[in-house]
Amino acid sequence: MEQLNRIELRGIVGSVKVQNFNSTPVAHFTLATNIAYKDKDGSPVIETAWHSVTAWEGREIQCLESIVKGTKLYVCGRLRYQRVTGNDGVDRTFTDVLAKKIAVINDDEQLQYEMN
């Protein structure tokens, strides 16, 4: 059986931090995704989920500096879970998306250009 760890997201960028790691740009940003539905009373509900994304600039991802707050993005990658022990001795698990492909989306919900 083939195993699969893949996630695709389409949303709006929140906070962004681009830094260099061994002279390679790395972007850490949050991406908000919304889902709309009606509750049991028929009232509309919009539920927002925030995702942490890490993208390394390289052969498949370019121009990380163009990612700014409010940019609409398509992100394809995989989930990564990290367990760390804090100074207080408590184990915490963090989940983030390691991006393999990023594309900017224009206002017509079409992929404007791919960052690869």
Side-chain angles (χ1 to χ4, degrees), residues 23-38:
S23 72
T24 301
V26 180
H28 300 282
F29 59 93
T30 57
L31 192 72
T33 58
N34 293 329
I35 185 166
Y37 62 92
K38 292 187 179 184

Side-chain angles (χ1 to χ4, degrees), residues 14-25:
S15 63
V16 181
K17 182 177 182 181
V18 178
Q19 57 191 116
N20 284 322
F21 183 76
N22 292 334
S23 72
T24 301

Side-chain angles (χ1 to χ4, degrees), residues 35-79:
I35 185 166
Y37 62 92
K38 292 187 179 184
D39 64 11
K40 63 181 179 180
D41 299 325
S43 301
V45 176
I46 297 177
E47 184 179 306
T48 302
W50 286 93
H51 310 274
S52 296
V53 180
T54 302
W56 293 76
E57 187 165 293
R59 185 182 62 189
E60 297 188 37
I61 298 176
Q62 303 281 325
C63 304
L64 292 177
E65 293 80 18
S66 66
I67 299 173
V68 295
K69 183 177 182 175
T71 303
K72 294 178 184 177
L73 288 182
Y74 164 81
V75 176
C76 181
R78 68 178 177 90
L79 289 176

